Amino acid sequence: LACEAVSCTGSKVDYQWFKDGGPLPRAIRPRLSLFGAGPKDVGTYHCVASCGPHSAPSASAVVSVSASELKKQSQFEGPLLEAAAAEAAGKVEDALALFSKAALAAGEENALGKAEAVIRRAELLVRVGRWPEAFKEATAALGLSPSLSGLARAHAARGAAAMAMGLLAEAESSWETAEILGGVPEAGAQAEACRERLKKFFDARKSSWDAERGPKRPGGAEGAEGDEDDREARWKKAGWGNARDADGFFKGFPGMGSAAGSGAGSGAGGRSGRSGGMPADLAGHLQKLGLPSDGRAGMPGVDAVRKAYRTRALALHPDKPGGSKEAFQDLQRAYEALLNALGQA
């Protein structure tokens, strides 16, 4: 559904969609999309465009669902209801199987339904403490959910699983994203807890680095360059996020492959002194966050990366003019890759 309004004075136009006379939450853009429309979406819709003290309603649009679509919905909703009953009865394996059946029944035509089934499966896995499975399901849900509320829930499930697994960069990026998206009451407190744990991690890593390096050697002392080469070799071997790969769940995420890892040492603070500048993947992530990427200043600190992410995330929020879900998720992946790069340095 679409509503286009023009202000003769050039002032900003605000929109609010209504269904059966009642305002719809978060429906404040010119277009209203009904993903996987079902019986609950049947009704009469209209939009009110406002500009200062003036407002005007649009014509009404009646939404109905065909008999064939209702049949498809029943094939999806039946297993979903059975899964909820099995979960309430403590039959975890039955519930998980039924959630998978619901996702399969929803198929590609019902993106919202499929995402809901996968998210609920991930949330159940979190509740029973099956962290790697929960992490995998929640990560898959990030690419499925067309709704912002579903995306926030998927990030919350992913953040909880990542925190339990000790994947601090992944936990922080997901909880912080859930907080920015809104709708998850505990996201703010969990994001703050992640920030505290990540700070302790970086403080401990710095102390370990200082202890490993030992007293600074005089310029040109034998072995100094060798120590630097050894560290560079270890960074190359470890790669970005190597310890966090969690059975390959990060394959396809920017900055998580061996190519990114091969340059981590030279990009993380400019310690290696090698020519060639900053690795392309790392520079790309920095550019997405609006941070310097020419390598001359080295890697920014975690606080600078976090601040840049929050600033850009608020600007690219799908509810904001000019924002989109795709750009928002791409930014979150870049942020997570940078946190991992900092952790490996």
Side-chain angles (χ1 to χ4, degrees):
L1 304 177
C3 175
E4 297 292 342
V6 177
S7 168
C8 295
T9 63
S11 301
K12 179 178 178 292
V13 177
D14 296 313
Y15 297 87
Q16 175 61 61
W17 284 91
F18 292 78
K19 177 191 173 190
D20 297 329
L24 291 170
R26 302 178 73 169
I28 54 174
R29 304 184 79 173
R31 295 180 182 274
L32 177 67
S33 299
L34 302 176
F35 296 99
K40 68 181 187 307
D41 299 304
V42 171
T44 302
Y45 294 78
H46 77 279
C47 182
V48 173
S50 304
C51 183
H54 307 288
S55 63
S58 69
S60 296
V62 177
V63 174
S64 59
V65 181
S66 66
S68 60
E69 185 60 33
L70 286 173
K71 183 179 179 180
K72 290 179 184 177
Q73 287 287 325
S74 67
Q75 291 173 341
F76 155 71
E77 290 175 354
L80 202 63
L81 291 171
E82 292 177 42
E87 183 179 356
K91 299 177 180 178
V92 174
E93 293 303 326
D94 289 347
L96 291 173
L98 286 163
F99 281 134
S100 295
K101 183 178 178 181
L104 187 63
E108 300 305 321
E109 296 178 355
N110 184 357
L112 190 67
K114 183 176 182 178
E116 176 65 19
V118 175
I119 291 169
R120 289 178 65 174
R121 181 180 163 89
E123 290 171 337
L124 176 55
L125 289 165
V126 166
R127 283 193 286 274
V128 298
R130 288 163 59 170
W131 310 119
E133 293 173 84
F135 187 85
K136 184 175 183 179
E137 291 288 319
T139 300
L142 298 182
L144 295 173
S145 180
S147 74
L148 298 188
S149 60
L151 191 60
R153 287 168 55 206
H155 270 297
R158 185 174 183 268
M163 180 66 94
M165 295 165 68
L167 310 182
L168 300 186
E170 292 77 11
E172 175 172 346
S173 77
S174 272
W175 276 120
E176 196 148 4
T177 301
E179 180 187 13
I180 292 169
L181 287 168
V184 180
E186 69 273 25
Q190 292 292 341
E192 181 59 32
C194 288
R195 287 190 284 267
E196 287 297 319
R197 284 190 61 178
L198 201 61
K199 182 179 184 302
K200 290 178 181 177
F201 168 82
F202 281 117
D203 288 345
R205 176 59 65 91
K206 183 178 184 302
S207 297
S208 175
W209 168 265
D210 291 341
E212 177 186 335
R213 185 168 50 184
K216 186 175 180 181
R217 303 188 185 197
E222 185 178 352
E225 184 65 31
D227 287 349
E228 197 74 22
D229 290 342
D230 287 345
R231 282 193 293 273
E232 177 74 8
R234 286 198 297 275
W235 288 328
K236 283 184 178 181
K237 186 176 180 180
W240 294 8
N242 185 59
R244 297 178 167 80
D245 194 23
D247 295 332
F249 301 155
F250 276 103
K251 286 187 172 73
F253 268 56
M256 294 298 143
S258 58
S262 67
S266 61
R271 297 189 186 103
S272 71
R274 294 187 300 127
S275 62
M278 186 171 286
D281 284 347
L282 181 56
H285 301 323
L286 290 168
Q287 287 170 2
K288 286 172 185 175
L289 269 68
L291 292 167
S293 58
D294 57 10
R296 286 179 293 184
M299 270 289 281
V302 65
D303 290 337
V305 170
R306 182 183 297 120
K307 181 179 179 181
Y309 170 65
R310 291 189 70 88
T311 300
R312 291 289 294 149
L314 291 172
L316 293 176
H317 192 289
D319 273 348
K320 297 286 184 69
S324 72
K325 180 191 167 198
E326 292 73 20
F328 186 82
Q329 287 184 286
D330 196 32
L331 182 73
Q332 182 266 330
R333 288 192 289 264
Y335 174 52
E336 188 167 298
L338 287 171
L339 289 179
N340 267 308
L342 287 166
Q344 292 291 332

